[in-house]
């Protein structure tokens, strides 16, 4: 008998970002939703030197670095320096130094707990069945003699460990650091398991939620394990980023989905109406986008560029990225009359839309400002209160004004009538006033926000420049437009003494 021909390997190699490239007739190639054709800009030696110098002197020249950061990001970040940049922008070392425990201590506690369960952090496959058995045995032991295990640490439940193990296997299964059973992949999976489990110890109130594994894995691809852990802590706990997103109630992410719906309604009314007619609520797709920070996009160079902006500017970029994707997809979405076609398109963004040279330039032109999000949030809060008022679950005193002032850290004003007593207006009148005054409130919030920018601390200042023009090595002069204290626009060439005043 003739021997069977050796089957060709399914994996041809790995691309520049570490993702496996499959043969076209391979089943995994048919299932994969990833492009390996990148258009990420190359960084020449002079710019690379500028990046290295800036990151090396970050503590001494942080303010000036931040001023030029948008221009630098637009020209591309050197792949090997991205982890250092993220660490600087997140200021994760500050959180690390202020923590009562080190990362190594969390890992050591984790390993002690795993040893008591008979689980090896490197045996991901075996761990699931082992944890299942340990769960049953522990339940029987606890019911028979609950006080025989005083050293058991309840911060990470067996159910949480099991879920982490399952999600480690699902997270970027085609990336070289997590794919297969070779030593590199086993170590990568173990690192991801340790970070997620250590965070469950660091913040037991949140523990672990699905979606976290993609954030941690992304950080691990660009940073050392300990740096990735503290960067992970900052992303999940700072209000600028994902604070509250992974709460078990999911109230925060649902509210942000409603805010995104308001943005969509005001920015793209035709598409919003079309999706509303098909009963496609933003919650159905925006949750996945936000919880994984767009890591499901098929073009990894675009994902990295989006992350650069998110880590620099925060949650605003998440909304602008969502709107940008919908703007690029709008013509084809409007042509879809079947929800079974439209929703999968939103959950698996087409490659042609997510390419770097298509998505990223459009993203730079799509801006969502903090004051705009504040306005939309006030609308969402009012709608929620009206629903509670109509159902009798909320007293009239809990008004939107109170919530808005609490958010801004200001004293809540009493709403009084001519007789000096608190107003007891009906919910109907409140509803009418809400509808009439929404635009007025939006403008008022925007005006207050712009005024308050002048009084922010040095670490939280935001520029009023519409386009900050800075001269850095290797860049040409650019036109800039700024707004002075009198509300006048000033336009000129950066680096020159000449300028051109324009009445605003």
């Amino acid at each position: 008998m003739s021997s069977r021909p050796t089957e060709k390997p399914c994996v041809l190699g790995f691309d520049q970002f570490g993702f496996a490239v499959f043969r076209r007739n391979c089943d995994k190639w048919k299932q994969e939703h990833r492009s390996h054709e990148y258009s990420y800009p190359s960084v020449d030696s002079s710019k690379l030197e500028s990046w290295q110098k800036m990151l090396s002197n970050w503590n001494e020249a942080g303010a000036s670095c931040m001023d030029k950061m948008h221009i630098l990001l637009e020209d591309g970040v050197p792949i090997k320096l991205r982890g250092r940049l993220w660490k600087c922008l997140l200021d994760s070392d500050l959180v690390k130094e202020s923590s009562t425990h080190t990362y190594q201590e969390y890992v050591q506690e984790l390993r002690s707990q795993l040893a008591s369960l008979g689980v090896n952090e490197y045996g991901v496959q075996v761990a699931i069945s082992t944890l299942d058995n340990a769960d049953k045995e522990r339940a029987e032991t606890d019911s028979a003699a609950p006080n025989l295990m005083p050293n058991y640490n309840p911060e990470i439940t067996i159910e949480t460990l099991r879920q982490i193990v399952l999600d480690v296997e699902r997270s970027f299964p085609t990336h070289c650091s997590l794919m297969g059973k070779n030593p590199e992949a086993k170590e990568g999976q173990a690192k991801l398991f340790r970070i997620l489990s250590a965070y469950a110890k660091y913040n037991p109130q949140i523990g672990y939620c699905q979606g976290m594994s993609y954030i941690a894995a992304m950080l691990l691809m660009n940073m050392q394990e300990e740096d990735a852990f503290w960067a992970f802590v900052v992303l999940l706990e700072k209000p600028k980023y994902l604070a509250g997103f992974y709460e078990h109630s999911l109230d925060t992410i649902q509210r942000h989905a409603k805010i995104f719906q308001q943005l969509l309604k005001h920015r793209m009314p035709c598409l919003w109406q079309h999706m509303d007619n098909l009963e496609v609520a933003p919650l159905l797709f925006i949750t996945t986008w936000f919880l994984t920070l767009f890591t499901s996009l098929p073009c990894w160079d675009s994902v990295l560029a989006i992350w650069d902006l998110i880590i620099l500017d925060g949650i605003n970029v998440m909304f602008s990225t969502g709107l940008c994707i919908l703007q690029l997809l709008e013509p084809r979405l409007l042509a879809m009359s079947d929800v079974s076609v439209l929703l999968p398109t939103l959950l698996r963004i087409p490659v042609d839309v997510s390419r770097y040279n298509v998505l990223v330039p459009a993203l730079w032109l799509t801006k969502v400002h903090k004051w705009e999000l504040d306005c939309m949030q006030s609308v969402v809060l009012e709608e929620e209160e009206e629903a509670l008022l109509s159902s009798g679950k909320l007293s009239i005193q809990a008004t939107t004004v109170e919530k808005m002032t609490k958010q801004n850290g200001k004293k809540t004003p009493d709403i009084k009538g001519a007789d000096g007593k608190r107003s007891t207006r009906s919910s109907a009148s409140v509803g009418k006033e809400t509808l009439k005054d929404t635009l007025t409130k939006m403008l008022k919030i925007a005006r207050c926000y712009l005024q308050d920018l002048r009084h922010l601390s040095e670490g939280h200042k935001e520029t009023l420049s519409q386009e900050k023009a800075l001269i850095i090595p290797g860049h040409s002069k650019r036109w800039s437009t700024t707004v002075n204290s009198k509300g006048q626009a000033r336009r000129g060439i950066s680096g020159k003494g000449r300028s051109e005043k324009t009445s605003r």
Side-chain angles (χ1 to χ4, degrees), residues 120-372:
N120 188 321
E121 63 192 274
Y122 291 92
V124 178
Q125 292 285 353
V126 181
I128 297 177
S129 59
T130 304
L131 289 174
D132 283 336
N133 294 333
D135 200 6
K136 295 176 183 177
E137 293 175 3
R138 191 170 298 285
E140 294 174 358
T141 305
D142 288 349
S143 61
N147 296 323
L148 294 181
M149 302 172 63
N151 295 325
Y152 174 61
N153 188 343
E155 289 185 353
I156 306 183
T157 65
I158 292 178
E159 179 59 36
T160 298
L161 291 172
R162 184 190 298 113
Q163 189 60 59
I164 292 174
V165 167
L166 291 171
D167 287 350
V168 164
E169 289 188 309
R170 299 166 181 164
S171 303
F172 305 115
T174 64
H175 192 270
C176 61
S177 65
L178 297 166
M179 178 183 179
K181 298 180 180 180
N182 59 72
E184 180 187 3
K186 286 186 176 181
E187 182 61 35
Q189 293 171 359
K191 288 179 181 179
L192 182 55
F193 178 83
R194 288 195 292 264
I195 286 180
L196 296 172
S197 301
Y199 182 77
K201 282 185 170 291
Y202 176 87
N203 190 344
Q205 291 183 334
I206 295 179
Y208 174 77
C209 295
Q210 285 184 293
M212 287 183 179
S213 60
Y214 292 94
I215 307 299
M218 174 65 150
L219 293 169
L220 271 174
M221 291 177 194
N222 295 277
M223 310 170 79
Q224 296 297 317
E225 181 179 348
E226 183 174 357
D227 290 337
F229 172 77
W230 293 112
F232 186 67
V233 170
V234 174
L235 283 175
L236 264 60
E237 304 204 349
K238 272 195 175 183
K240 179 180 179 179
Y241 302 111
L242 303 174
F245 273 48
Y246 294 98
E247 294 173 351
H248 292 286
S249 64
L250 295 179
D251 288 342
T252 301
I253 190 66
Q254 290 183 47
R255 178 161 296 167
H256 279 78
K258 293 178 181 178
I259 293 173
F260 186 84
Q261 179 171 299
Q262 291 294 333
L263 279 173
L264 179 62
K265 183 177 180 180
H266 286 80
R267 293 278 195 100
M268 307 172 67
C270 292
L271 180 59
W272 172 81
Q273 187 62 60
H274 178 65
M275 294 173 65
D276 189 53
N277 292 338
L278 294 177
E279 298 182 349
V280 178
L283 186 63
L284 297 175
F285 59 90
I286 205 67
T287 304
T288 301
W289 292 0
F290 281 13
L291 288 180
T292 63
L293 288 187
F294 300 95
T295 54
S296 60
L297 291 177
C299 300
W300 198 247
D301 49 354
S302 297
V303 175
L304 291 171
I306 292 169
W307 269 61
D308 292 340
L309 278 173
I310 289 175
I311 290 177
L312 175 62
D313 291 331
I315 194 173
N316 301 19
V317 179
M318 296 164 59
F319 285 91
S320 58
T321 303
L323 285 177
C324 181
I325 291 173
L326 290 180
Q327 288 169 358
L328 294 172
L329 283 174
E330 184 174 19
R332 69 185 77 178
L333 292 178
L334 290 175
M336 297 176 182
S337 57
D338 189 347
V339 66
S340 64
V341 178
L342 187 145
L343 188 55
T345 302
L346 294 172
L347 294 174
R348 291 173 63 90
I349 305 300
V351 171
D352 64 304
V353 167
S354 65
R355 292 192 189 282
Y356 183 95
N357 55 6
V358 174
L359 176 59
V360 177
L363 177 58
W364 280 100
L365 299 175
T366 307
K367 301 295 181 183
V368 175
H369 302 285
K370 185 180 182 301
W371 68 263
E372 194 174 3

Side-chain angles (χ1 to χ4, degrees), residues 402-430:
E402 289 176 318
K403 279 198 173 183
M404 288 171 60
T405 51
K406 286 179 182 178
Q407 290 171 352
N408 293 328
K410 300 176 183 177
K411 184 178 179 181
T412 303
D414 287 339
I415 302 177
K416 300 181 180 180
D419 56 357
K421 298 180 180 180
R422 285 188 65 90
S423 172
T424 56
R425 295 171 294 172
S426 66
S427 60
S429 64
V430 173

Side-chain angles (χ1 to χ4, degrees), residues 41-54 72 75-79 81 473-475:
S42 59
V43 180
D44 59 36
S45 57
S46 63
K47 291 180 182 178
L48 178 61
E49 186 178 347
S50 297
W51 273 105
Q52 291 173 330
K53 183 178 180 180
M54 178 187 68
L72 290 171
D75 289 336
V77 179
I79 296 175
L81 298 181
H475 290 80

